[in-house]
Amino acid sequence: MSDSFDRAPGAGRDRSRGLGRGGGGPEGGGFPNGAGPAERSRQQQPPPPPPLQPKAPGFLPPPPLRQPRTAPPPGAQSEAPAGSARPPRPGALPEQTRPQRAPPSSQDKIPQQNSAESAMAKPQVVVAPVLMSKLSANAPEFYPSGYSNYTESYEDGCEDYPTLSEYVQDFLNHLTEQPGSFETEIEQFAETLNGWVTTDDALQELVELIYQQATSIPNFSYMGARLCNYLSHHLTINPQSGNFRQLLLQRCRTEYEVKDQAAKGDEVTRKRFHAFVLFLGELYLNLEIKGTNGQVTRADILQVGLRELLNALFSNPVDDNLICAVKLLKLTGSVLEDTWKEKGKTDMEEIIQRIENVVLDANCSRDVKQMLLKLVELRSSNWGRVHATSTYREATPENDPNYFMNEPTFYTSDGVPFTAADPDYQEKYQELLEREDFFPDYEENGTDLSGAGDPYLDDIDDEMDPEIEEAYEKFCLESERKRKQ
């Protein structure tokens, strides 16, 4: 039965294979002239199909075959070359009715190619585009915003600055950022100011700039006090309104007169007042005043002012006022107490008693009370200072008989000993150094530093000569006898 499926549907019954399904008689079993599958298998090469014959009027045409999904456009078959036809396979449909697979159109080729290429494509490395830098080694030197390049301008003095305030402010900012440059640059700064500050207004402007910098930047209070001390001795201008130190003290007095209102003011006012108090403390420690006899002293007016400022702070015992008082006493407490004791005053005792009352009565925070107690403890330990029990006296050959006791003993080329106590020590020691230059590779004990096998040392016997040994023993005994005398 499987042989009946070797033919294609619609094949003819005779050797010429018609198109109708029921074109044959019953004796043929549906095959032409009774030819079965065995007979067709004996046919090696079937002849090409004959042209279509008109169908008999009694037969219905078969339903048309469904066109494939990739059917070629109309007229595509006529464009195929004539010599490309192949003989049909036995039992296959004729060329007119056999569905032909047209070549894929351009739209069908694209996805097939893409899928094939994507399957065979290798992973590609994405190369980032090269960015061309605009930086150059010849570009001008870069400075961040807010940075003042004072060093270059400093070399040329104030020529690059249009006004005095810009030059002074630039120098102050430079000291704030690099306080270690004070010793190396302050002299040039003072010389430049002597050539520029020639009027009362210019001097007043200079004082105001330094004061604002010292009270607005906490870390500049110490440097500002040192700067004020240097300028007070090196500025040559001395107008009728007052020199630099006098104008500076007048500016401080302006803030001092409103101390009570400032201590009771709002937070911003108190903060500005505290900066003034600490700057005045630094000024008291660093501002030097030369007396008529050349003696250097501190400004007594500042000592009185600090005492009154402490009273104002303790009269309004809020936390920030008390913290400011603690900082001021840690800074100047030891110096103030020494000065008051020299004058027979008990001001420090009164301040300590007032601190103890604040700790007991004031409604300050616990941390602030702890700070006040630590301050009282610091004062009881003499402000952390340690005094030696005996006055140190520098040892000299005149006042110390054992001055040369630990000095090494050297020997001349003749074997004569000498030490640093000998008057001609320098001459003998220099001769010893010159003698050692002849043997740079050997130590004093004869150790070879240049390596073994030196012919000079190979000839030296390790044992001393008896005569040399006897002389050495006499030398040791004589030295011991002299040492005991």
Side-chain angles (χ1 to χ4, degrees):
M1 181 177 178
S2 59
D3 294 338
S4 62
F5 289 93
D6 289 341
R7 63 180 179 86
R13 294 172 179 258
D14 55 359
R15 299 180 64 89
S16 62
R17 287 200 306 256
L19 294 177
R21 291 186 178 180
E27 67 279 359
F31 292 98
N33 299 327
E39 183 180 357
R40 284 192 302 106
S41 61
R42 291 191 301 265
Q43 297 175 359
Q44 297 294 330
Q45 292 184 357
L52 294 176
Q53 299 293 333
K55 297 180 180 180
F59 296 92
L60 294 177
L65 296 177
R66 179 179 60 83
Q67 296 293 331
R69 296 181 183 275
T70 58
Q77 296 180 359
S78 60
E79 297 177 0
S84 61
R86 299 175 57 187
R89 191 183 67 240
L93 291 176
E95 296 292 338
Q96 288 82 358
T97 59
R98 185 171 55 189
Q100 297 188 10
R101 188 175 186 86
S105 60
S106 60
Q107 295 180 356
D108 296 329
K109 290 180 180 180
I110 294 176
Q112 293 177 0
Q113 293 177 356
N114 292 341
S115 61
E117 292 179 359
S118 61
M120 299 297 296
K122 297 181 179 179
Q124 298 181 357
V125 179
V126 179
V127 180
V130 179
L131 300 178
M132 301 302 295
S133 175
K134 297 181 180 180
L135 299 179
S136 174
N138 300 324
E141 189 173 0
F142 171 74
Y143 295 96
S145 59
Y147 176 82
S148 59
N149 186 15
Y150 174 78
T151 304
E152 295 182 358
S153 302
Y154 167 74
E155 297 175 355
D156 301 331
C158 59
E159 297 178 357
D160 296 339
Y161 295 90
T163 60
L164 172 66
S165 60
E166 293 184 9
Y167 174 68
V168 174
Q169 189 63 51
D170 205 1
F171 179 77
L172 297 179
N173 294 336
H174 174 67
L175 285 184
T176 303
E177 297 173 357
Q178 302 180 13
S181 62
F182 178 85
E183 287 78 5
T184 58
E185 300 179 0
I186 186 60
E187 184 178 356
Q188 177 66 28
F189 177 70
E191 293 178 359
T192 304
L193 291 181
N194 285 328
W196 201 335
V197 180
T198 56
T199 61
D200 296 352
D201 295 339
L203 184 60
Q204 187 69 40
E205 182 182 8
L206 175 63
V207 171
E208 183 65 25
L209 288 173
I210 297 177
Y211 175 83
Q212 292 297 335
Q213 184 84 358
T215 56
S216 60
I217 301 179
N219 295 333
F220 193 74
S221 57
Y222 167 71
M223 190 61 62
R226 293 184 60 191
L227 179 62
C228 292
N229 177 64
Y230 189 90
L231 295 180
S232 64
H233 296 290
H234 293 83
L235 283 183
T236 57
I237 182 175
N238 190 12
Q240 296 180 356
S241 59
N243 55 22
F244 178 83
R245 184 178 67 251
Q246 293 171 345
L247 293 179
L248 176 64
L249 295 178
Q250 292 177 10
R251 180 64 180 87
C252 294
R253 186 176 181 85
T254 303
E255 297 291 333
Y256 170 80
E257 292 176 350
V258 296
K259 58 183 182 300
D260 295 329
Q261 295 84 346
K264 299 177 182 178
D266 55 7
E267 184 178 357
V268 177
T269 304
R270 293 198 307 270
K271 184 177 180 180
R272 185 169 59 249
F273 173 64
H274 299 158
F276 161 71
V277 171
L278 296 178
F279 172 64
L280 203 67
E282 294 285 2
L283 205 60
Y284 172 68
L285 297 178
N286 293 276
L287 187 61
E288 299 175 347
I289 299 177
K290 294 182 179 181
T292 55
N293 56 354
Q295 185 180 4
V296 178
T297 59
R298 291 188 173 91
D300 293 337
I301 187 64
L302 295 179
Q303 175 189 342
V304 177
L306 292 177
R307 178 69 173 89
E308 295 300 325
L309 291 175
L310 287 172
N311 291 336
L313 293 172
F314 287 121
S315 299
N316 301 276
V318 295
D319 286 354
D320 52 357
N321 283 345
L322 296 176
I323 293 175
C324 180
V326 170
K327 291 181 179 179
L328 180 61
L329 288 174
K330 285 184 176 180
L331 178 65
T332 62
S334 60
V335 180
L336 289 175
E337 185 172 10
D338 293 343
T339 306
W340 287 331
K341 284 183 177 181
E342 292 177 358
K343 298 179 179 180
K345 296 181 179 181
T346 59
D347 292 42
M348 185 56 67
E349 299 290 342
E350 298 175 1
I351 293 176
I352 296 300
Q353 183 62 42
R354 192 160 188 177
I355 291 176
E356 294 175 353
N357 295 335
V358 169
V359 173
L360 295 176
D361 301 335
N363 294 326
C364 56
S365 64
R366 180 180 178 181
D367 294 339
V368 174
K369 289 183 179 180
Q370 190 70 19
M371 292 176 61
L372 294 173
L373 294 176
K374 289 292 184 181
L375 179 65
V376 175
E377 181 180 354
L378 178 64
R379 189 257 175 178
S380 63
S381 64
N382 195 18
W383 302 100
R385 296 177 295 184
V386 178
H387 293 285
T389 56
S390 60
T391 305
Y392 172 76
R393 184 179 61 175
E394 184 178 359
T396 61
E398 289 76 16
N399 59 23
D400 188 1
N402 299 322
Y403 184 80
F404 296 105
M405 183 177 63
N406 295 325
E407 291 292 331
T409 301
F410 303 97
Y411 298 91
T412 64
S413 58
D414 300 332
V416 178
F418 68 94
T419 61
D422 296 340
D424 53 351
Y425 167 77
Q426 293 293 340
E427 181 180 354
K428 293 181 179 179
Y429 186 73
Q430 184 64 29
E431 181 183 355
L432 177 63
L433 294 179
E434 293 176 357
R435 180 159 48 91
E436 289 181 351
D437 290 340
F438 289 102
F439 307 99
D441 296 333
Y442 302 102
E443 293 183 345
E444 295 181 359
N445 58 359
T447 303
D448 186 3
L449 300 180
S450 61
D454 191 90
Y456 178 79
L457 289 181
D458 292 342
D459 297 335
I460 299 178
D461 192 3
D462 295 336
E463 297 181 359
M464 288 194 305
D465 186 77
E467 184 179 358
I468 297 177
E469 185 176 3
E470 182 180 1
Y472 178 76
E473 291 178 357
K474 290 181 179 180
F475 167 76
C476 293
L477 293 175
E478 183 178 2
S479 300
E480 183 69 14
R481 181 176 54 81
K482 289 182 179 181
R483 188 179 64 83
K484 293 182 179 180
Q485 289 179 355

